[in-house]
Amino acid sequence: MSNTPAQAARQELTGFTGELIGPDDAGYEDARAVYNAMIDKHPALIARCADADAVARVIAFARTHGLRLAVRGGGHHGAGLGTVEGGVVVDLSPLKDIHVDPEARTVRVGGGCVWGEVDRATNAHGLATPSGIISTTGVGGLATGGGLGHLTRKCGLTIDNLLAADLVLADGQQVRASADENTDLFWAIRGGGGNFGVITSFLFRLHEVSTVVAGPTFWPIEVSADVLTAYRDFLPNAPRELSAFFLHGTVPPAPPFPEELHLRKTAGVVWCYTGDDTEAAAREMAPLLDALPTPMLHAAGPMPHPDMQGMFDGLYPPGHQWYWRADFVNEISDDAVELHAKFGAETPTMQSTMHLYPIDGAAHDVGPNETPWAYRDARWASVYAGVDPDPAGAERVTQWTVDYFEALHPHSAGGAYVNMMMDEGQERVRASYRDNYDRLARVKADHDPDNVFRLNQNIRPAPKPHFETRP
């Protein structure tokens, strides 16, 4: 009787630095779980790698045995691209080293860290680097796909603050990519996702961000069109220190929200002013607030930056059913406003939501070809997220998400933020990288010609030129 992949790995990977977990092991069910409970895959082997050498050995093992390979940092991807049915998962969770250099204003981060860990370490020095909006998100997936969040307008995307990375390539080679080393690879990993290798360590630039003035403002869903109209006109003219994303959602039935607002559908804005000057923050928020009816709740106040980053963690723990769709948006037309209002009123569950994240300000300081992120001219990234803790609600939230997306997609710029896409096919991937796709495909051909790293928003290797030989 032939060995299972897990048994073969234990025999072949002697002295492995980490943990090898197979379907017969006691911890397998916990080890295979990812953030989105709609994803239910059963890897043949989960390899928790404690160093880059372990990563290289697992890649070689998977290739030798013809097994598909997935790479997991935080496991947050909506489409479950950090796991694989019947294949091998490179689980980076043991790679937790974080080193802050406050003088150089940099932080070196292990590939298995989540953003909350990084935020707390850097905040101890009054510093931060841009990331997302949920602190349990893995560093690796978010950083390689772009990195969009509360600090984007002030400090740029996460990829704009990536200074270097250490990678294990498909052939097991360990390399560093930076502005001075492997420059094509460095260009590609700043937005091209996990297509080019397994990143075991990141080096990020830090900014002086310690306390922020942050929190939500909620209006009744019935005035959603008015709120979105005022928001679209207000935010592009606001200073970079002020970020605000628009949302449709439901007020959670828990503190700190007043009981009379619990479970009310809402149109809202989530603020983040980078600085501790509450009066300045109030002045900058005032034009939007003054243009609208008195909100049900205005709860923006000073807090440490990591608290802002973790504000949504309790609402979105691991284990919910998720279905996402996304688009880049240049302009929010009156017709789009009305469609948003319609679908916002039909939000199917408390956790389901739509967000419009601003991507102007510092994100527009970088050219469309300087990184793979091709939509530097877009002003917003929209995401439609159907979410339900109950598996019985999966079909309902999926349908709402798809209907919402399909109604608004004609009003979009065409592509989408790859970290918020499901597994939607090559045409959608190409549309999201625009003219940068062909260069990405050439870099892919140089570093992963066999497409070993294909469980992602996949960049297919460019075919090698064929030259005819004449007699």
Side-chain angles (χ1 to χ4, degrees), residues 218 250-255 257-258 261-264 315 350:
F218 292 147
T250 304
V251 180
F257 303 108
L261 299 184
H262 288 181
L263 298 178
R264 287 194 62 178
L315 184 61
M350 182 187 76

Side-chain angles (χ1 to χ4, degrees), residues 137-388:
T137 305
V139 168
L142 182 132
T144 56
L148 185 58
H150 299 299
L151 300 183
T152 297
R153 299 191 80 232
K154 174 67 173 176
C155 305
L157 303 169
T158 305
I159 55 174
D160 301 334
N161 294 275
L162 179 61
L163 300 175
D166 297 317
L167 298 90
V168 182
L169 303 182
D171 62 3
Q173 187 182 176
Q174 298 179 35
V175 302
R176 167 162 287 202
S178 69
D180 301 315
E181 304 170 82
N182 296 296
T183 54
D184 271 359
L185 188 59
F186 183 56
W187 176 85
I189 63 173
R190 289 178 294 153
N195 276 280
F196 308 96
V198 179
I199 300 182
T200 56
S201 177
F202 297 83
L203 182 68
F204 295 108
R205 178 187 299 112
L206 295 173
H207 302 262
E208 286 191 13
V209 178
S210 178
T211 299
V212 296
V213 181
T217 302
F218 292 147
W219 290 267
I221 193 66
E222 291 78 13
V223 297
S224 170
D226 294 335
V227 177
L228 182 51
T229 299
Y231 168 81
R232 75 169 182 201
D233 297 335
F234 159 78
L235 192 68
N237 299 309
R240 293 183 175 193
E241 287 76 16
L242 184 66
S243 180
F245 73 79
F246 177 88
L247 65 79
H248 282 140
T250 304
V251 180
F257 303 108
E259 190 172 345
E260 63 270 19
L261 299 184
H262 288 181
L263 298 178
R264 287 194 62 178
K265 291 183 179 180
T266 180
V269 171
V270 176
W271 305 95
C272 183
Y273 179 84
T274 53
D276 58 4
D277 188 336
T278 55
E279 291 185 2
R283 284 196 303 271
E284 301 302 348
M285 297 173 188
L288 179 64
L289 298 174
D290 292 347
L292 289 165
T294 301
M296 297 189 298
L297 176 74
H298 178 59
M303 65 182 70
H305 175 252
D307 288 4
M308 176 58 182
Q309 292 294 96
M311 184 177 288
F312 292 94
D313 291 2
L315 184 61
Y316 295 115
H320 289 178
Q321 309 284 313
W322 282 79
Y323 192 84
W324 292 9
R325 286 294 178 91
D327 265 322
F328 286 124
V329 177
N330 291 334
E331 301 293 339
I332 303 170
S333 68
D334 291 344
D335 288 343
V337 167
E338 293 303 322
L339 287 168
H340 277 297
K342 172 185 180 296
F343 283 95
E346 298 169 358
T347 303
T349 64
M350 182 187 76
Q351 293 87 353
S352 295
T353 189
M354 186 283 299
H355 292 177
L356 278 164
Y357 298 109
I359 45 175
D360 56 349
H364 280 188
D365 293 343
V366 180
N369 306 122
E370 291 182 51
T371 69
W373 181 291
Y375 282 83
R376 294 286 179 171
D377 55 340
R379 288 194 175 276
W380 287 278
S382 62
V383 59
Y384 315 95
V387 190
D388 195 341

